[in-house]
Amino acid sequence: MASTNDLKNGMVLDLDGQLWSVIWFQHHKPGKGNTVVRTKLKHVLSGKVVDRTFNSDTKVDTASVDRREMQYLYHDGSGYVFMDTSTYEQMTIPDDTVGDAKNYLLPEHMATVAIHEDTPLYLDLPASVELEVTYTEPGLQGDRSTGGTKPATVETGLQIQVPLFLTTGERVKVDTRDGSYLGRVG
């Protein structure tokens, strides 16, 4: 149990059996009446964001969410197998929990896994990852300074837009939030 006065960003609340993560909060004292706490809460499993206002000093249930740094090992057909780097324990995370993060996972890459009561909730990836371009159409001579883009497939199977001058085999930095090209590596 915690008070709404103790809320912090990233805290996970258990409201009516559902897990919600606090992404923003503000204490508000109107001219008349009691102080309230306005919050933006994100549903941990569905990602839905809602605004919710609590009276000040209201008791709320907090959920203990353990965030562990884990290394991705392989996909075994039923899910993604991760290893806790501190205990060497392995955990299989279902495909639907991993979701779009699969487009940025390569064996041996690290990710933060949020776990509640031995159930993996979601993955936090680094802001960007380095991936190799496995196929893209060859660029034309003279296309080096134009602002055009072309599709390219990276080693995870994700298709992204890259500048015309990039060729197959080059390593690129990709934003894990929206799949955008951030630059060439090395």
Side-chain angles (χ1 to χ4, degrees), residues 1-2 12-15 59-63:
M1 282 295 236
V12 178
L13 306 178
D14 185 346
L15 303 173
K59 299 290 181 209
V60 289
D61 284 327
T62 56

Side-chain angles (χ1 to χ4, degrees), residues 100 103-104 127-129 131 152 154 158-162 172-182:
D100 289 341
N103 294 322
Y104 309 103
S128 65
V129 292
L131 299 170
V154 293
L158 177 68
Q159 194 169 59
I160 63 171
Q161 292 294 316
V162 298
V172 295
K173 191 177 256 194
V174 181
D175 189 319
T176 57
R177 294 167 299 195
D178 60 8
S180 62
Y181 166 83
L182 295 175

Side-chain angles (χ1 to χ4, degrees), residues 9-184:
N9 289 343
M11 192 180 242
V12 178
L13 306 178
D14 185 346
L15 303 173
D16 306 323
Q18 306 258 350
L19 295 180
W20 298 85
S21 177
V22 177
I23 54 177
W24 176 86
F25 71 96
Q26 177 185 45
H27 294 272
H28 179 69
K29 174 82 170 117
K32 291 181 182 172
N34 296 332
T35 302
V36 294
V37 179
R38 293 183 178 151
T39 62
K40 272 193 192 307
L41 303 174
K42 180 178 182 183
H43 193 269
V44 168
L45 299 177
S46 70
K48 180 176 144 186
V49 177
V50 297
D51 292 325
R52 181 124 180 221
T53 302
F54 298 95
N55 286 329
S56 182
D57 222 17
T58 301
K59 299 290 181 209
V60 289
D61 284 327
T62 56
S64 62
V65 174
D66 186 18
R67 288 177 173 79
R68 295 188 207 157
E69 192 68 20
M70 298 184 101
Q71 183 180 40
Y72 170 58
L73 300 177
Y74 58 90
H75 185 269
D76 71 357
S78 64
Y80 291 81
V81 179
F82 283 81
M83 178 182 67
D84 188 323
T85 52
S86 58
T87 64
Y88 301 106
E89 227 175 273
Q90 291 186 7
M91 171 184 280
T92 301
I93 301 177
D95 291 354
D96 55 342
T97 302
V98 172
D100 289 341
K102 72 179 185 292
N103 294 322
Y104 309 103
L105 281 176
L106 287 175
E108 300 182 17
H109 273 188
M110 300 301 288
T112 303
V113 180
I115 301 166
H116 174 64
E117 295 176 357
D118 294 329
T119 305
L121 301 174
Y122 59 87
L123 295 182
D124 274 338
L125 295 175
S128 65
V129 292
E130 294 177 10
L131 299 170
E132 183 178 325
V133 175
T134 55
Y135 178 77
T136 187
E137 293 288 332
L140 300 172
Q141 196 63 30
D143 279 344
R144 306 219 177 276
S145 63
T146 60
T149 61
K150 62 182 178 180
T153 304
V154 293
E155 58 191 307
T156 61
L158 177 68
Q159 194 169 59
I160 63 171
Q161 292 294 316
V162 298
L164 295 170
F165 59 80
L166 275 174
T167 59
T168 299
E170 290 193 74
R171 294 190 66 75
V172 295
K173 191 177 256 194
V174 181
D175 189 319
T176 57
R177 294 167 299 195
D178 60 8
S180 62
Y181 166 83
L182 295 175
R184 243 191 318 200

